[in-house]
Amino acid sequence: MTFLQDPEFGDRIITLMAALVLVLQIAAVGQRWLVSSIRIFAVQSFLLAGIAGIIAYFNHASHIYIAAMLTQGRTAPLAAGASRTKNRNPAGD
């Protein structure tokens, strides 16, 4: 059995990605710029799609792949729209 087939490896990857989502949420709370908040949200959505994909892979649940693709499909336009706008200071400085 390779490490990609080991369920404990999947558990560790999911835990790592969930910790990254938590760290990004803390960063989003302290963020004042709207564009940066949108980018943080996009990265969080990407990580959540990855978590769903990993759960689908290790549980052999093909229907969860659909949820992962829908999450990722919702994130891509959001991140693209945020990258076209300029970062502006909300205080007007």
Side-chain angles (χ1 to χ4, degrees):
M1 177 186 320
T2 64
F3 71 94
L4 290 176
Q5 296 172 338
D6 186 15
E8 286 200 20
F9 176 72
D11 288 343
R12 289 180 182 165
I13 295 296
I14 289 170
T15 302
L16 175 67
M17 293 175 84
L20 288 173
V21 169
L22 179 62
V23 168
L24 286 172
Q25 186 59 40
I26 293 169
V29 168
Q31 189 55 249
R32 290 180 23 180
W33 292 359
L34 180 62
V35 176
S36 297
S37 295
I38 291 172
R39 288 179 182 153
I40 289 171
F41 176 73
V43 173
Q44 282 181 326
S45 295
F46 176 75
L47 288 170
L48 288 174
I51 289 171
I54 291 170
I55 290 171
Y57 176 78
F58 283 101
N59 290 318
H60 306 290
S62 58
H63 62 283
I64 299 179
Y65 283 120
I66 296 169
M69 286 187 276
L70 288 173
T71 303
Q72 187 58 37
R74 180 187 65 156
T75 304
L78 194 78
S83 65
R84 284 183 286 208
T85 60
K86 293 183 179 180
N87 247 347
R88 294 194 179 127
N89 189 345
D93 295 289

